[in-house]
Amino acid sequence: MAHILHLDSSPRGDRSISRTLTKEFITDWKATYPKDTVTYRDLGHYPVPAVDEPWIAASFTPAESRTTELAVAIKTSDELIDEFLAADHYVFGVPMFNFSIPSTLKAYIDQILRVNRTFVVNNDGYEGLAKDKKMLIITARGGTFQNGTPFAQYDFQEPYLRTAFSFIGITDITFIHADNLAAGDEVRQQSLTAARAAIEKVVATW
């Protein structure tokens, strides 16, 4: 039995493509694996706080030495990391904003990439602590940024997410891009059909 952390980062509601597709994935997954459990976090509507100076001080202070102020400053980060590490699989919905990710997701990543919690520094450099897990990231993009296309160099979304999560040990990452969504109805439907076919494949093989 696996546990999934399902996370959406779009600020939109029912009109969100990324939310729609992650919901379809989770619905199909639960129908296929009814004993699996899911935790849901909605960053788009309920953002987490940004890192600030007390957070930084607390993260580099041993827990037993933290003042009440520092303990409060790091409390949300501890809760988010506990939730994150408890999962076996991750399903993230991520719209592309200005060639990258929403600020709400960046704030979340800043909260969970933390020394001695999700990575350590040793004689060999950095070692991620979130190992042996799988991640699916479903994106929604107005254009196309696939390798070999004219705008591939503008994609700071997938490379950043791969780097950030592989840094903490998650290297088995699958991307499904619902792209070209602003290219007209026919192209949009072709992209959504391809994304849904890819979702079905992941459900069957993950």
Side-chain angles (χ1 to χ4, degrees), residues 170-187:
I170 303 173
T171 56
D172 189 344
I173 305 176
T174 300
F175 278 84
I176 296 176
H177 297 299
D179 59 3
N180 263 338
L181 297 177
D185 289 343
E186 183 177 354
V187 174

Side-chain angles (χ1 to χ4, degrees), residues 60-75:
F60 289 100
T61 301
E64 64 274 11
S65 301
R66 290 176 190 148
T67 63
T68 299
E69 178 188 11
L70 293 184
V72 170
I74 208 70
K75 183 175 183 291

